[in-house]
Amino acid sequence: MAHSYDYSCNLRKGLPVTILTISLYSDQTGQLEAVVEANALTAIKTAGSAATATELLSRKDSSRLAIIGSGMQAFNQVLAICEVRDIRHVVVYDLDPAQAEKFIGFLKASDGFDINTEVAQSADTAVSKADIVCTCTTSKKPVFHVSRLRLATHVNAIESFSPDMQEIDADTVLRSGCVFTEHVDGLWAAAGDILKPYQSGLIDRSKVTGSLGELLSGSVTGRKSQEQITCYESVGSAVLDLALAVETYQLVSGATNRNI
């Protein structure tokens, strides 16, 4: 019997809402070489992918970042995006204002982080003046209304990784001039943000412009005008997770000559 996963259960216990463990085996002997608890690596990987999308799709003069959600994923998103854009103001919204304040404290304690920050009273308020928006929640309904998005905003929809989840509304998808993801086929299997308007007949498959790899190679065009809303829909990449796990294992163990 299939069961729906209750993300709030882990939250109440102070546990991560997503749990990732990667097993690494020798390609010569089949022997188990390492078991990697990869939650932190996945957050770094996802933030790096989103930052790459942000660098390629957001306006170069983008300086205001809105973060919806305040978990590990959100923390890495802020740090990664600050590497590719000159962010001068970060606005954070969380259903728990105390958690948002705590999150900002973690940011300010990070080496080299000296950026104006504030807690927003609502997600709509947070996105209303943002150049870049990152949604980092496990929500099953849109966390902000498209009417509050300004023209030319870039949106990173990070956590809608199952068909029943939805962080951005259908109108945000419709208004986006381009939509990119890690793997297009994976998106159509998992991303509720895109699947819900598709299943309602509001969009067809041509709405998804292409993959991040195609954008990087230049085979597909990204932003076409300064006024365009752009969207990056993250669905995850097992290949990148595995590559980071191998690199981390080799770095920690010094086993650079082992074949995994």
Side-chain angles (χ1 to χ4, degrees):
M1 179 182 295
H3 295 277
S4 177
Y5 181 58
D6 182 6
Y7 298 97
S8 63
C9 176
N10 279 23
L11 285 174
R12 290 193 297 271
K13 295 178 179 179
L15 297 172
V17 295
T18 55
I19 298 174
L20 177 63
T21 302
I22 298 176
S23 300
L24 300 178
Y25 297 87
S26 168
D27 68 354
Q28 295 181 346
T29 67
Q31 181 180 359
L32 177 66
E33 297 286 348
V35 177
V36 182
E37 293 185 3
N39 278 41
L41 294 182
T42 295
I44 292 169
K45 174 265 299 182
T46 305
S49 296
T52 300
T54 300
E55 183 175 21
L56 296 171
L57 293 172
S58 70
R59 297 188 336 270
K60 296 186 183 303
D61 62 351
S62 297
S63 62
R64 293 181 63 92
L65 171 62
I67 297 287
I68 314 301
S70 59
M72 179 189 295
Q73 190 58 255
F75 181 79
N76 284 278
Q77 289 288 322
V78 174
L79 298 186
I81 288 171
C82 286
E83 292 292 325
V84 301
R85 286 291 180 261
D86 183 17
I87 300 299
R88 300 179 184 179
H89 199 95
V90 177
V91 182
V92 181
Y93 174 73
D94 192 277
L95 291 174
D96 181 355
Q99 178 61 31
E101 292 284 3
K102 185 177 180 180
F103 176 83
I104 285 177
F106 285 136
L107 286 175
K108 290 182 176 179
S110 301
D111 290 341
F113 188 88
D114 185 23
I115 297 173
N116 291 328
T117 57
E118 67 173 292
V119 174
Q121 297 300 308
S122 69
D124 282 345
T125 301
V127 307
S128 63
K129 295 182 180 180
D131 302 309
I132 301 165
V133 173
C134 292
T135 58
C136 307
T137 76
T138 56
S139 181
K140 294 186 178 181
K141 61 182 181 180
V143 296
F144 66 85
H145 194 274
V146 67
S147 65
R148 304 307 297 270
L149 275 183
R150 300 191 302 173
L151 289 176
T153 302
H154 172 66
V155 178
N156 291 316
I158 300 302
E159 294 279 26
S160 176
F161 51 78
S162 68
D164 65 332
M165 299 172 76
Q166 187 179 23
E167 294 189 293
I168 60 176
D169 59 22
D171 286 335
T172 297
V173 177
L174 287 168
R175 287 187 59 188
S176 295
C178 56
V179 177
F180 285 88
T181 188
E182 296 102 322
H183 301 291
V184 176
D185 288 344
L187 177 147
W188 289 113
D193 285 335
I194 307 299
L195 285 173
K196 291 191 176 185
Y198 174 72
Q199 291 165 351
S200 298
L202 298 175
I203 62 171
D204 59 28
R205 289 183 177 244
S206 67
K207 185 63 187 182
V208 179
T209 313
S211 71
L212 192 55
E214 291 172 316
L215 184 60
L216 279 165
S217 70
S219 62
V220 175
T221 302
R223 175 179 290 276
K224 296 181 177 64
S225 73
Q226 284 292 92
E227 294 74 30
Q228 196 174 54
I229 292 173
T230 57
C231 180
Y232 170 65
E233 180 71 32
S234 178
V235 293
S237 171
V239 172
L240 293 178
D241 286 317
L242 183 59
L244 267 179
V246 170
E247 184 70 19
T248 301
Y249 166 69
Q250 292 179 337
L251 180 65
V252 171
S253 69
T256 56
N257 295 322
R258 293 201 179 187
N259 296 311
I260 293 177

